[in-house]
Amino acid sequence: MPKPLKGNGRYMPGLDGLRALAVLAVIVYHLDSRWAPGGLLGVGVFFVLSGYLITDILIAQWKRYGRLDWKDFWLRRIRRLMPALFVMIAVVAAWITLFDHSQLASLRGDVLSALLYVNNWWRIYHEVSYFSSFGPPSPFGHFWSLAVEEQFYLLWPLLLVIGLRFVTRRRWLLGLTLALALLSALAMALIYEPGSDPSRVYYGTDTRAFALLIGAALAMVWPSRQFTVKAAQRARLILDCIGGVALMTIVVMIGLTDQYDSFLYRGGFVLLSVATAIVVAVLAHPVSRLGKVMGCKPLRWLGVRSYGIYLWHYPVIVLTRPEVNTGGTSIVRSILQVGISIVLAALSWRFIEEPIRKSGFKYAWRQVRRWGSMPILGRMASVCMMLVLTICVIGMTGFTSDTKPDSVSYERNDLQTGTIPPGSIPKPNGSKQPSGILKPDAGRKVTAIGDSVLLDIAPYLQEHLPGITIDGKVGRQMSQAKGAIDQHKSNGELGDVVIIVLGTNGTFSEKTLFTLLDSLENVQQILLVNIRVPRPWERDVNLTLAETAKQFSNVTLVDWHMASSDKDSYFSRDGVHLGEEGAKAYASLVADAIKP
């Protein structure tokens, strides 16, 4: 939190320390680190902080003047948020134009929705999953949270003014705020479907507003300007203990939960918000020792620049990540990615955010002109600026949606493509099989049920098992497998051996898998093939498959994850679907696992 301007509030360094921890948690999550699977909770911490600080400022202004200065409020928001966002988008668009122009067509919606602060609803409308998208991820995939906050900044001041003017008792205003938070939390719990992709409730302003509203409610009962600087030793101790427990709750949740944990969507995010509100309350109090610890210089420095760090870290990670990586997370690469993000954020703060925040756009433009008067520096800056703008314009307008990416046919979101039409399964020589379900010709009855990965290996699996029935469908989830198997049963086509190649498109519950395997109790052998997918659910899926396989005598676990380790050449550009070498190795591994 930058220091307030013109006496517009009290600076609370501990809150900047909390911002630093939150943004670091988000970065670790996006680095796919296994020791912080709940790093996405850092965004929830930001929401509570934003709700508290904005409401605290608005209520203080109302008490002082009896009204809100709307022009001042919106001008401050624009100065604080828009310049850094514009620069980041321009630089990233220029980079992509130069080095990976195949992504440009798909970025237009992200950029436009980001500038209008509706990116979260754009993603919901277009069914763009935060967790399950394949192919090169968008470098602007983190804009959804900025949209949620900006929508809150748009609507909440209006609602708050109405409440302050017409609700005479402040306890009633507090109650109404908490009631809205409860409705939002209930919406998350009711819309969420266990075992399915949670992106709808994760993105939605309606289902995330409770965190902002809990922060707002805190500002109504814990205004930052009314604290005493003196407190008894016992009171300080109690305050710090409560804050310490709440902070540990946040840390434990970051370490133990993940995006597919049903607990998060049915109370967990609310618990996080309450814990964050308690931490904020303690850090905001001037007598808190925890506030002094969290406000130490390194954390404070990072926290002040946390907005820029959040803006830059995701495109840096996405654009410097290898297309295929079967060797795990590189510590060196991760350190460099974090370092580059922090350096870019520091430059953004020094030359863009802070000058405009303090002195406005006119002052910033005068500074640019002053730098431009220096012969060498001015020419270099002018050339760089013109180059970036030119490349950005060319990139965003010079390529149409017909631009063809250098990728294989399955390099897209598996959840959105539907069933493969007849004649779409490629043979090794590039010709087509007659249908999406390959009928057995002769010999042993083997049935394979799977998603697009199964379609990748279909021709080679047929070579190993000529009598196999292959039922592959792009985007198929484990929850849909039982329906497919029931259909084969009713047609008398289910084999003595059943191969299940699922989990690529997302996690599933143990109950779902148990139900599926129970329905196959009369099958001689079931092969469960685990997955390699560069997405956060990989570990959960493989653990569920491994633990469940141990409990059924007719189930064999095929360890594709181990077999494909350090085999980048097996995969296409998305790191999930297979090239010829990988498809052959996969088919051979599965065929060899069938018992004689």
Side-chain angles (χ1 to χ4, degrees):
M1 181 181 68
K3 293 183 179 180
L5 300 176
K6 301 177 183 178
N8 193 36
R10 179 175 67 85
Y11 178 56
M12 296 166 279
L15 296 188
D16 276 330
L18 184 59
R19 287 176 183 271
L21 293 183
V23 77
L24 290 175
V26 174
I27 291 174
V28 171
Y29 173 75
H30 286 146
L31 289 171
D32 294 331
S33 174
R34 292 185 177 180
W35 57 269
L40 77 167
L41 300 182
V43 174
V45 174
F46 277 122
F47 285 165
V48 177
L49 265 169
S50 297
Y52 175 76
L53 292 170
I54 289 298
T55 306
D56 188 52
I57 291 171
L58 293 173
I59 290 178
Q61 194 176 91
W62 180 270
K63 287 182 177 179
R64 187 178 303 160
Y65 304 112
R67 62 183 179 84
L68 296 186
D69 188 339
W70 295 102
K71 179 181 177 182
D72 176 74
F73 175 79
W74 285 112
L75 188 59
R76 288 181 185 276
R77 300 279 72 72
I78 292 171
R79 285 178 177 178
R80 181 69 188 95
L81 301 175
M82 294 299 289
L85 179 67
F86 274 123
V87 170
M88 188 274 280
I89 290 175
V91 172
V92 171
W95 176 280
I96 292 174
T97 301
L98 289 173
F99 300 107
D100 190 11
H101 60 77
S102 64
Q103 290 196 55
L104 283 172
S106 63
L107 292 183
R108 289 183 186 148
D110 267 334
V111 171
L112 182 60
S113 61
L115 294 176
L116 296 175
Y117 286 106
V118 292
N119 184 261
N120 61 326
W121 292 111
W122 181 86
R123 289 176 170 272
I124 289 171
Y125 178 77
H126 290 280
E127 298 182 349
V128 180
S129 172
Y130 188 69
F131 309 108
S132 304
S133 296
F134 294 130
S138 168
F140 304 137
H142 59 323
F143 282 171
W144 71 271
S145 65
L146 304 180
V148 171
E149 289 202 22
E150 195 65 21
Q151 290 160 31
F152 177 79
Y153 296 157
L154 178 66
L155 295 174
W156 178 242
L158 299 173
L159 295 175
L160 184 61
V161 166
I162 293 172
L164 290 171
R165 184 174 297 277
F166 296 106
V167 181
T168 55
R169 294 187 178 183
R170 293 296 174 259
R171 69 180 67 178
W172 285 103
L173 182 59
L174 175 65
L176 288 172
T177 303
L178 292 176
L180 289 174
L182 177 62
L183 288 175
S184 173
L186 286 173
M188 172 177 275
L190 294 174
I191 297 174
Y192 170 70
E193 297 180 10
S196 64
D197 187 288
S199 293
R200 165 61 184 88
V201 294
Y202 189 75
Y203 286 142
T205 307
D206 55 342
T207 51
R208 298 304 297 265
F210 63 83
L212 292 146
L213 291 168
I214 287 172
L218 176 65
M220 295 176 185
V221 298
W222 200 259
S224 65
R225 296 160 182 79
Q226 296 184 9
F227 297 130
T228 177
V229 295
K230 295 181 180 180
Q233 187 72 16
R234 181 179 176 83
R236 287 188 177 190
L237 180 62
I238 292 174
L239 192 68
D240 288 329
C241 287
I242 293 173
V245 170
L247 184 60
M248 284 304 301
T249 300
I250 296 172
V251 172
V252 169
M253 290 183 69
I254 289 173
L256 296 183
T257 62
D258 62 56
Q259 69 275 14
Y260 289 110
D261 194 333
S262 296
F263 160 72
L264 285 182
Y265 305 96
R266 293 184 168 172
F269 274 116
V270 175
L271 174 62
L272 173 79
S273 301
V274 172
T276 302
I278 293 172
V279 173
V280 170
V282 173
L283 297 181
H285 204 292
V287 304
S288 167
R289 293 187 184 90
L290 183 63
K292 292 179 174 62
V293 172
M294 293 292 290
C296 66
K297 193 171 182 178
L299 288 178
R300 191 170 71 247
W301 189 91
L302 288 171
V304 166
R305 293 154 182 82
S306 59
Y307 175 62
I309 294 172
Y310 183 81
L311 282 181
W312 282 103
H313 86 280
Y314 195 67
V316 167
I317 290 173
V318 167
L319 296 176
T320 60
R321 178 183 289 163
E323 292 179 350
V324 179
N325 177 29
T326 58
T329 302
S330 167
I331 295 177
V332 174
R333 183 174 63 247
S334 296
I335 292 173
L336 289 174
Q337 289 170 330
V338 174
I340 292 170
S341 302
I342 292 175
V343 169
L344 290 171
L347 292 173
S348 174
W349 171 257
R350 172 66 179 83
F351 296 107
I352 300 168
E353 298 170 54
E354 185 68 349
I356 293 176
R357 186 181 77 93
K358 280 187 173 181
S359 306
F361 292 101
K362 291 182 180 179
Y363 172 80
W365 177 246
R366 286 199 300 269
Q367 287 293 95
V368 171
R369 293 183 65 183
R370 184 173 66 84
W371 296 335
S373 65
M374 303 176 188
I376 297 178
L377 183 61
R379 289 170 188 167
M380 289 176 60
S382 299
V383 169
C384 289
M385 185 177 297
M386 289 302 298
L387 180 63
V388 168
L389 290 175
T390 302
I391 293 173
C392 185
V393 170
I394 292 172
M396 299 310 291
T397 62
F399 293 90
T400 68
S401 58
D402 294 329
T403 302
K404 300 297 184 182
D406 301 325
S407 59
V408 297
S409 58
Y410 294 123
E411 213 165 294
R412 54 186 182 252
N413 188 334
D414 242 15
L415 289 170
Q416 300 177 39
T417 50
T419 306
I420 289 289
S424 61
I425 300 179
K427 294 176 80 71
N429 62 3
S431 61
K432 305 287 183 177
Q433 292 287 1
S435 67
I437 298 180
L438 308 184
K439 300 294 183 179
D441 299 317
R444 182 168 198 176
K445 290 188 69 175
V446 180
T447 303
I449 307 292
D451 49 34
S452 56
V453 174
L454 177 61
L455 297 178
D456 288 343
I457 69 168
Y460 308 102
L461 203 55
Q462 271 201 314
E463 292 179 0
H464 287 281
L465 305 168
I468 190 172
T469 298
I470 296 180
D471 184 352
K473 177 182 177 183
V474 174
R476 179 175 277 156
Q477 297 276 2
M478 186 69 77
S479 59
Q480 299 169 314
K482 189 174 183 301
I485 285 173
D486 289 343
Q487 183 66 39
H488 285 285
K489 278 184 179 179
S490 65
N491 294 338
E493 298 173 348
L494 191 66
D496 302 318
V497 177
V498 174
I499 303 168
I500 298 175
V501 182
L502 291 167
T504 299
N505 298 297
T507 191
F508 47 85
S509 66
E510 287 188 3
K511 181 180 178 181
T512 297
L513 186 54
F514 266 84
T515 301
L516 174 64
L517 297 179
D518 282 337
S519 70
L520 297 171
E521 60 181 348
N522 296 322
V523 171
Q524 293 177 9
Q525 186 184 13
I526 305 168
L527 301 186
L528 289 181
V529 189
N530 65 16
I531 65 170
R532 176 170 291 280
V533 52
R535 295 296 182 267
W537 64 86
E538 177 192 84
R539 182 171 178 269
D540 287 345
V541 167
N542 287 345
L543 281 175
T544 301
L545 291 172
E547 292 299 318
T548 306
K550 296 175 183 177
Q551 303 181 51
F552 290 83
S553 59
N554 63 338
V555 173
T556 301
L557 181 70
V558 181
D559 198 348
W560 169 243
H561 186 269
M562 178 64 70
S564 59
S565 179
D566 294 316
K567 304 287 187 184
D568 290 2
S569 61
Y570 281 5
F571 295 90
S572 65
R573 191 180 175 192
D574 63 5
V576 179
H577 297 100
L578 305 172
E580 182 177 348
E581 181 184 359
K584 287 180 177 179
Y586 195 122
S588 178
L589 182 72
V590 170
D592 290 345
I594 296 177
K595 298 177 181 178

